[in-house]
Amino acid sequence: MSRKPDQELRRGWTTGACATAATRAALMMLWGEGRPDRVRITLPRGERPEFAIAEATQGPGWAEAGVIKDAGDDPDVTHGALILARVEAAGEGVSFAAGVGVGMVTKPGLPIPPGEPAINPVPRQMLSDTVAEMAARLGQAGNIRITISVPGGEALAEKTWNPRLGIKGGLSILGTTGIVRPFSCAAWIASIHRGVDVARATGQAHVAGCTGATSEKTVRALYGLPESAMLDMGDFAGGMLKYLARHPVARVTVGGGIGKITKLAQGARDLHSGRSQVDFSALAEMVGDARLRDCNTALQAYDMAGEKLAYMVAEQALLCVRAMLPDSVVADVVIIDRAGGIIARAGA
């Protein structure tokens, strides 16, 4: 683990946020507001960042704009990439297409079905919301096809897990919060530690660590927890639990999607896709279903095996969580789907 940096690391923006900003600029041109130098968008948690427009072109019935992705101090392979969005009137409602450098989904088990552009659900919602908001304001129909392109994206994708996951031809357009947090283990874990310290100092008896924005929202609502009780765990389950073992509270909840909680159940402490992977052979053996050996993702395994798998994973993850905490701490695990629904709980 690296030494904590002397200065706070600079955050950046996801490909989904950049695509949304580019789409907004392109729609402004298409619908008569002219070429903007900068645009402001709303992220899922309400932040309102501004993006510089790097490129802008248009022709009869279409417009295209581009944003240079700034990943902040995170060593993201897409840092500096040009994210282009082309908009044109087509069909009914909002549809999506993969341009150059954006992959297509070819295998089941991902949040987007095979045959669709690899534009994840939250970016799709951000793009759709942008179209709806602007269409209402400008009196437009809002029937728009959005084509996202990333020049050079196919080569960049070879440095990611996309080829293994069956995403062919380029990158995925990702992001659940719109924000890229700098990848520094020391800095992030230090922020988790400060969150525990604040919770303890304010008398918070129940804290929760979640892997992302969706699981955090669900767990917070489930238990009626205040914001100060929510620890920004992310992928660092081990870093959070080790600190809580030394600085305990009465109760700890761990929440996340089936993929990351499966890795936790299998003994991983760092849940990042680049540093831990689901063991599908072990998963098949645990559930007693040989089909799972050939799965592509934990979500695909869940789709095959159903509730039984989710509950077994939750129970096994709970054992791993409890093994890292003193007996005095009550623990539970909540597994959440991408829509925010609870699919399994253990220890509740």
Side-chain angles (χ1 to χ4, degrees), residues 166-254:
I167 298 171
K168 304 295 185 183
L171 295 161
S172 302
I173 304 301
L174 301 171
T176 58
T177 65
I179 298 169
V180 175
R181 293 180 176 86
F183 175 64
S184 163
C185 293
W188 193 323
I189 291 172
S191 73
I192 295 172
H193 294 178
R194 300 298 78 77
V196 173
D197 294 343
V198 169
R200 283 166 50 88
T202 56
Q204 184 64 47
H206 183 182
V207 299
C210 298
T211 59
T214 300
S215 53
E216 180 178 293
K217 182 179 179 181
T218 297
V219 167
R220 186 177 177 187
L222 176 65
Y223 292 114
L225 294 171
E227 187 175 10
S228 60
M230 307 307 295
L231 306 176
D232 196 7
M233 181 184 80
D235 292 319
F236 298 107
M240 181 188 77
L241 293 169
K242 286 178 183 178
Y243 195 74
L244 283 166
R246 300 192 301 273
H247 306 84
V249 295
R251 182 172 182 179
V252 176
T253 297
V254 174

Side-chain angles (χ1 to χ4, degrees), residues 23-344:
T23 296
R24 187 173 192 86
L27 287 170
M28 291 175 69
M29 293 190 292
L30 182 68
W31 287 340
E33 290 195 305
R35 182 203 188 282
D37 292 325
R38 304 182 71 83
V39 298
R40 191 176 295 278
I41 65 169
T42 302
L43 300 181
R45 290 178 172 174
E47 298 96 332
R48 296 269 295 158
E50 193 175 69
F51 293 78
I53 302 306
E55 291 191 12
T57 56
Q58 67 184 121
W62 64 270
E64 184 174 75
V67 168
I68 301 294
K69 178 175 173 178
D70 180 0
D73 288 323
D74 188 81
D76 191 307
V77 297
T78 58
H79 178 69
L82 176 65
I83 313 297
L84 290 167
R86 180 186 177 110
V87 298
E88 53 197 320
E92 293 291 329
V94 179
S95 58
F96 305 95
V100 172
V102 172
M104 294 291 292
V105 178
T106 67
K107 292 183 180 181
L110 296 169
I112 300 299
E116 282 285 316
I119 303 172
N120 268 22
V122 172
R124 286 180 183 236
Q125 189 62 55
M126 292 171 64
L127 294 166
S128 297
D129 289 348
T130 295
V131 173
E133 179 265 314
M134 293 186 65
R137 178 169 59 82
L138 298 173
Q140 298 289 336
N143 300 318
I144 291 291
R145 178 167 59 238
I146 304 173
T147 303
I148 306 298
S149 303
V150 184
E154 188 167 5
L156 291 175
E158 294 299 319
K159 302 174 183 179
T160 72
W161 287 98
N162 276 17
R164 176 182 172 182
L165 295 174
I167 298 171
K168 304 295 185 183
L171 295 161
S172 302
I173 304 301
L174 301 171
T176 58
T177 65
I179 298 169
V180 175
R181 293 180 176 86
F183 175 64
S184 163
C185 293
W188 193 323
I189 291 172
S191 73
I192 295 172
H193 294 178
R194 300 298 78 77
V196 173
D197 294 343
V198 169
R200 283 166 50 88
T202 56
Q204 184 64 47
H206 183 182
V207 299
C210 298
T211 59
T214 300
S215 53
E216 180 178 293
K217 182 179 179 181
T218 297
V219 167
R220 186 177 177 187
L222 176 65
Y223 292 114
L225 294 171
E227 187 175 10
S228 60
M230 307 307 295
L231 306 176
D232 196 7
M233 181 184 80
D235 292 319
F236 298 107
M240 181 188 77
L241 293 169
K242 286 178 183 178
Y243 195 74
L244 283 166
R246 300 192 301 273
H247 306 84
V249 295
R251 182 172 182 179
V252 176
T253 297
V254 174
I258 186 69
K260 290 186 186 292
I261 299 299
T262 297
K263 291 193 282 187
L264 178 62
Q266 292 180 339
R269 298 294 177 259
D270 183 338
L271 309 181
H272 191 277
S273 61
R275 298 179 295 280
S276 61
Q277 294 295 312
V278 173
D279 184 337
F280 291 102
S281 294
L283 203 60
E285 185 174 344
M286 181 181 77
V287 180
D289 187 340
R291 298 176 302 162
L292 304 190
R293 296 179 186 277
D294 298 320
C295 282
N296 190 41
T297 65
L299 179 60
Q300 183 185 10
Y302 169 67
D303 289 340
M304 283 186 179
E307 188 177 272
K308 176 183 177 181
L309 179 144
Y311 279 98
M312 293 183 75
V313 166
E315 292 288 351
Q316 187 60 42
L318 180 60
L319 291 176
C320 292
V321 169
R322 284 177 171 162
M324 299 186 69
L325 296 171
D327 293 340
S328 60
V329 177
V330 175
D332 66 291
V333 170
V334 185
I335 302 181
I336 295 122
D337 65 21
R338 290 181 178 271
I342 296 171
I343 60 176

